[in-house]
Structures are given as C-alpha cells and as structure tokens.
Amino acid sequence: MMKELGAAIIDADEATHAVYEPGSQGFDAVTGEFGPDYIKAGRIDRARLGELVFHDKDARRRLNAIVHPLVREWMAARTVEAVEGGAEVVVQDVPLLFENGLAGLYSTVVLVYVPEHLQLKRLVEGRGFTHERARAMVAAQMPIEEKRMLAPHVIDNTRSLEETRRQVGQIWRDAIAVK
C-alpha cells in the first residue's frame, strides 16, 4: 500500500533470498557453517534450515551472525539505488527490527499488527507452515504485544482491507510523506 503511495520498498526477505544465492558470500558461509545437508538441488534448503534454527537458539545465533550483516549491506545498497533513482520515501520492511535493536536507525517505525493467534493462523493457512513450525517461528521473535508498545505507529491488520488502507493513508500523511 505504501508503494502505491509512492514509496520505494526494500524488503529484508528479498534481501535474505539474494544473500542465499548459490555462489554468493552468504551461500558459501551458510553451507560452510551448517554443511551439505542444508543444500537441496544446488540451493540452500531454507525449509530444512528453518526447522533447525527455529528449534535451536545456538544455530539461529550462528545463522544470524552470517546473514544479518549481508542483509543489511544488501538493503543499504538498494536504498542508495532508490534514492539515486529519485525516491523521496524509502520504506524498509524489516521483520526482526526490534529483535536486532535496529529501530534507532530509522526516522520512524510502523508496525503492522495482528495478535499472536492470528499470526499463527495466517502462517498455517496462508503460507502453508505446520502448526509446530508456525509456533516455533513466532516463539523465536519478540512477542507482538511488546513490539506494539515499542512502535510509534501501528497498523491494526485484523480488520478489512479498506480499514487497513485507511490506516496506511493516515500514517503516510502524518508521519511518512515528504512535506
């Protein structure tokens, strides 16, 4: 919705896919750390690696130490490209913003909020994860209610698409759009 309003969007999930590409520094580092059992058809087996890191805090710490700096570097490069290309507003979509202590790097933060039970339902029904995997993913993050308290702007995504669009527009006008 913010893209529709004119923002350039830089997505941390897209960055993660990019740094996992075969032949990249991230691919080599991840496979070096976790071994060939986490390669499938020449690519990092994200499903298998996810099963490991969402159940093993040490493995998650090791993976994050490899991937997060590369993701930040990729996102910084895309941000520079967007600004040099004329973007007045750049939105970075960063799922683990609070967990990684990155909120202070941004001029403002917008949290898209749904309660935990709805997060779980959407992960299972919308993304096809098992209940166990969805619970592990949510448990590996800061509780959503804590994030809600930290975010200066919150979009309640439990309502209709039209209501979500209204909230996005209001935050855009009040806090984001270049005046």
Side-chain angles (χ1 to χ4, degrees), residues 11-179:
D11 187 330
D13 286 336
E14 182 182 344
T16 302
H17 285 281
V19 304
Y20 277 168
E21 281 296 308
S24 70
Q25 180 183 354
F27 180 91
D28 294 344
V30 170
T31 57
E33 179 69 28
F34 294 97
D37 291 345
Y38 292 92
I39 300 173
K40 181 178 179 181
R43 305 184 75 77
I44 292 176
D45 185 345
R46 290 176 55 106
R48 184 163 191 196
L49 188 58
E51 283 297 321
L52 173 67
V53 301
F54 287 119
H55 291 95
D56 181 334
K57 287 182 182 179
D58 183 61
R60 184 169 55 249
R61 181 195 55 74
R62 292 180 359 247
L63 179 64
N64 289 345
I66 294 167
V67 174
H68 287 180
L70 297 172
V71 165
R72 285 193 291 272
E73 184 179 298
W74 186 94
M75 292 181 73
R78 299 300 83 73
T79 299
V80 168
E81 290 170 5
V83 171
E84 288 176 349
E88 292 185 10
V89 175
V90 177
V91 173
Q92 292 195 353
D93 185 349
V94 183
L96 299 175
L97 182 81
F98 293 114
E99 290 85 345
N100 290 309
L102 302 175
L105 298 176
Y106 296 91
S107 59
T108 196
V109 173
V110 178
L111 173 73
V112 178
Y113 168 83
V114 294
E116 184 175 309
H117 75 275
L118 192 50
Q119 280 181 299
L120 294 169
K121 180 179 180 184
R122 289 180 178 178
L123 286 168
V124 171
E125 293 177 4
R127 302 219 6 226
F129 292 118
T130 65
H131 289 283
E132 180 183 315
R133 172 91 186 267
R135 280 192 297 278
M137 290 172 72
V138 170
Q141 298 179 19
M142 177 185 291
I144 191 70
E145 297 302 332
E146 287 182 35
K147 291 182 186 184
R148 188 178 194 182
M149 300 292 283
L150 294 171
H153 306 283
V154 178
I155 295 169
D156 181 344
N157 197 19
T158 63
R159 301 179 185 151
S160 70
L161 186 60
E162 294 79 25
E163 175 57 18
T164 299
R165 191 173 305 281
R166 186 199 65 74
Q167 292 175 72
V168 169
Q170 187 66 49
I171 290 171
W172 180 267
R173 287 185 297 278
D174 293 349
I176 297 174
V178 177
K179 310 228 189 266

